[in-house]
PDB file of all heavy atoms in Angstrom:
ATOM      1  N   GLY C 450      -3.906  -3.588 -51.877  1.00 74.00           N
ATOM      2  CA  GLY C 450      -5.239  -3.121 -51.488  1.00 74.00           C
ATOM      3  C   GLY C 450      -5.287  -1.611 -51.321  1.00 74.00           C
ATOM      4  O   GLY C 450      -6.327  -0.986 -51.554  1.00 74.00           O
ATOM      5  N   LEU C 451      -4.199  -0.999 -50.869  1.00 76.00           N
ATOM      6  CA  LEU C 451      -4.172   0.464 -50.686  1.00 76.00           C
ATOM      7  C   LEU C 451      -3.817   1.219 -51.961  1.00 76.00           C
ATOM      8  O   LEU C 451      -3.907   2.447 -51.985  1.00 76.00           O
ATOM      9  CB  LEU C 451      -3.183   0.816 -49.564  1.00 76.00           C
ATOM     10  CG  LEU C 451      -3.537   0.267 -48.165  1.00 76.00           C
ATOM     11  CD1 LEU C 451      -2.422   0.578 -47.196  1.00 76.00           C
ATOM     12  CD2 LEU C 451      -4.855   0.862 -47.701  1.00 76.00           C
ATOM     13  N   SER C 452      -3.365   0.554 -53.002  1.00 75.00           N
ATOM     14  CA  SER C 452      -2.993   1.226 -54.265  1.00 75.00           C
ATOM     15  C   SER C 452      -4.238   1.713 -54.999  1.00 75.00           C
ATOM     16  O   SER C 452      -5.294   1.084 -54.949  1.00 75.00           O
ATOM     17  CB  SER C 452      -2.192   0.251 -55.150  1.00 75.00           C
ATOM     18  OG  SER C 452      -1.920   0.838 -56.397  1.00 75.00           O
ATOM     19  N   TYR C 453      -4.087   2.820 -55.664  1.00 74.00           N
ATOM     20  CA  TYR C 453      -5.243   3.359 -56.414  1.00 74.00           C
ATOM     21  C   TYR C 453      -5.558   2.517 -57.627  1.00 74.00           C
ATOM     22  O   TYR C 453      -6.644   2.594 -58.200  1.00 74.00           O
ATOM     23  CB  TYR C 453      -4.972   4.826 -56.820  1.00 74.00           C
ATOM     24  CG  TYR C 453      -3.989   4.985 -57.996  1.00 74.00           C
ATOM     25  CD1 TYR C 453      -4.454   5.078 -59.313  1.00 74.00           C
ATOM     26  CD2 TYR C 453      -2.624   4.994 -57.782  1.00 74.00           C
ATOM     27  CE1 TYR C 453      -3.558   5.214 -60.364  1.00 74.00           C
ATOM     28  CE2 TYR C 453      -1.736   5.132 -58.819  1.00 74.00           C
ATOM     29  CZ  TYR C 453      -2.198   5.238 -60.136  1.00 74.00           C
ATOM     30  OH  TYR C 453      -1.349   5.377 -61.166  1.00 74.00           O
ATOM     31  N   GLU C 454      -4.600   1.659 -58.065  1.00 76.00           N
ATOM     32  CA  GLU C 454      -4.868   0.808 -59.216  1.00 76.00           C
ATOM     33  C   GLU C 454      -5.990  -0.184 -58.908  1.00 76.00           C
ATOM     34  O   GLU C 454      -6.741  -0.576 -59.797  1.00 76.00           O
ATOM     35  CB  GLU C 454      -3.585   0.070 -59.601  1.00 76.00           C
ATOM     36  CG  GLU C 454      -2.494   1.021 -60.126  1.00 76.00           C
ATOM     37  CD  GLU C 454      -1.199   0.280 -60.428  1.00 76.00           C
ATOM     38  OE1 GLU C 454      -1.126  -0.912 -60.042  1.00 76.00           O
ATOM     39  OE2 GLU C 454      -0.298   0.870 -61.010  1.00 76.00           O
ATOM     40  N   GLU C 455      -6.092  -0.615 -57.601  1.00 75.00           N
ATOM     41  CA  GLU C 455      -7.198  -1.478 -57.224  1.00 75.00           C
ATOM     42  C   GLU C 455      -8.519  -0.734 -57.354  1.00 75.00           C
ATOM     43  O   GLU C 455      -9.546  -1.314 -57.670  1.00 75.00           O
ATOM     44  CB  GLU C 455      -7.003  -1.965 -55.779  1.00 75.00           C
ATOM     45  CG  GLU C 455      -5.861  -2.942 -55.593  1.00 75.00           C
ATOM     46  CD  GLU C 455      -6.130  -4.245 -56.339  1.00 75.00           C
ATOM     47  OE1 GLU C 455      -7.298  -4.651 -56.441  1.00 75.00           O
ATOM     48  OE2 GLU C 455      -5.148  -4.843 -56.838  1.00 75.00           O
ATOM     49  N   THR C 456      -8.476   0.553 -57.062  1.00 77.00           N
ATOM     50  CA  THR C 456      -9.696   1.365 -57.230  1.00 77.00           C
ATOM     51  C   THR C 456     -10.103   1.429 -58.696  1.00 77.00           C
ATOM     52  O   THR C 456     -11.297   1.413 -59.023  1.00 77.00           O
ATOM     53  CB  THR C 456      -9.457   2.770 -56.669  1.00 77.00           C
ATOM     54  OG1 THR C 456      -8.980   2.667 -55.331  1.00 77.00           O
ATOM     55  CG2 THR C 456     -10.732   3.597 -56.673  1.00 77.00           C
ATOM     56  N   LEU C 457      -9.087   1.501 -59.627  1.00 80.00           N
ATOM     57  CA  LEU C 457      -9.408   1.524 -61.059  1.00 80.00           C
ATOM     58  C   LEU C 457     -10.090   0.234 -61.484  1.00 80.00           C
ATOM     59  O   LEU C 457     -10.970   0.249 -62.346  1.00 80.00           O
ATOM     60  CB  LEU C 457      -8.118   1.744 -61.863  1.00 80.00           C
ATOM     61  CG  LEU C 457      -7.404   3.102 -61.660  1.00 80.00           C
ATOM     62  CD1 LEU C 457      -6.138   3.146 -62.496  1.00 80.00           C
ATOM     63  CD2 LEU C 457      -8.316   4.261 -62.038  1.00 80.00           C
ATOM     64  N   ARG C 458      -9.698  -0.884 -60.894  1.00 78.00           N
ATOM     65  CA  ARG C 458     -10.310  -2.161 -61.285  1.00 78.00           C
ATOM     66  C   ARG C 458     -11.776  -2.225 -60.877  1.00 78.00           C
ATOM     67  O   ARG C 458     -12.531  -3.022 -61.399  1.00 78.00           O
ATOM     68  CB  ARG C 458      -9.552  -3.317 -60.629  1.00 78.00           C
ATOM     69  CG  ARG C 458      -8.162  -3.532 -61.200  1.00 78.00           C
ATOM     70  CD  ARG C 458      -7.554  -4.828 -60.655  1.00 78.00           C
ATOM     71  NE  ARG C 458      -6.217  -5.054 -61.178  1.00 78.00           N
ATOM     72  CZ  ARG C 458      -5.101  -4.677 -60.580  1.00 78.00           C
ATOM     73  NH1 ARG C 458      -5.178  -4.064 -59.408  1.00 78.00           N
ATOM     74  NH2 ARG C 458      -3.927  -4.907 -61.106  1.00 78.00           N
ATOM     75  N   ARG C 459     -12.174  -1.434 -59.879  1.00 77.00           N
ATOM     76  CA  ARG C 459     -13.572  -1.435 -59.450  1.00 77.00           C
ATOM     77  C   ARG C 459     -14.433  -0.479 -60.275  1.00 77.00           C
ATOM     78  O   ARG C 459     -15.580  -0.247 -59.923  1.00 77.00           O
ATOM     79  CB  ARG C 459     -13.632  -1.049 -57.961  1.00 77.00           C
ATOM     80  CG  ARG C 459     -13.014  -2.089 -57.048  1.00 77.00           C
ATOM     81  CD  ARG C 459     -13.451  -1.888 -55.605  1.00 77.00           C
ATOM     82  NE  ARG C 459     -13.039  -0.607 -55.067  1.00 77.00           N
ATOM     83  CZ  ARG C 459     -11.864  -0.406 -54.428  1.00 77.00           C
ATOM     84  NH1 ARG C 459     -11.019  -1.406 -54.278  1.00 77.00           N
ATOM     85  NH2 ARG C 459     -11.555   0.783 -53.934  1.00 77.00           N
ATOM     86  N   GLY C 460     -13.897   0.122 -61.357  1.00 79.00           N
ATOM     87  CA  GLY C 460     -14.694   0.966 -62.261  1.00 79.00           C
ATOM     88  C   GLY C 460     -14.438   2.457 -62.148  1.00 79.00           C
ATOM     89  O   GLY C 460     -15.118   3.235 -62.785  1.00 79.00           O
ATOM     90  N   PHE C 461     -13.462   2.856 -61.355  1.00 84.00           N
ATOM     91  CA  PHE C 461     -13.127   4.277 -61.249  1.00 84.00           C
ATOM     92  C   PHE C 461     -12.058   4.641 -62.279  1.00 84.00           C
ATOM     93  O   PHE C 461     -11.420   3.759 -62.882  1.00 84.00           O
ATOM     94  CB  PHE C 461     -12.641   4.597 -59.820  1.00 84.00           C
ATOM     95  CG  PHE C 461     -13.703   4.455 -58.777  1.00 84.00           C
ATOM     96  CD1 PHE C 461     -13.937   3.237 -58.155  1.00 84.00           C
ATOM     97  CD2 PHE C 461     -14.513   5.541 -58.446  1.00 84.00           C
ATOM     98  CE1 PHE C 461     -14.909   3.098 -57.205  1.00 84.00           C
ATOM     99  CE2 PHE C 461     -15.485   5.399 -57.495  1.00 84.00           C
ATOM    100  CZ  PHE C 461     -15.698   4.187 -56.866  1.00 84.00           C
ATOM    101  N   ALA C 462     -11.829   5.930 -62.484  1.00 87.00           N
ATOM    102  CA  ALA C 462     -10.826   6.438 -63.439  1.00 87.00           C
ATOM    103  C   ALA C 462     -10.139   7.654 -62.839  1.00 87.00           C
ATOM    104  O   ALA C 462     -10.685   8.315 -61.952  1.00 87.00           O
ATOM    105  CB  ALA C 462     -11.461   6.820 -64.779  1.00 87.00           C
TER     106      ALA C 462
END
Side-chain angles (χ1 to χ4, degrees):
L451 297 175
S452 175
Y453 76 93
E454 293 177 350
E455 290 295 327
T456 307
L457 295 179
R458 290 189 180 93
R459 293 197 298 270
F461 293 88

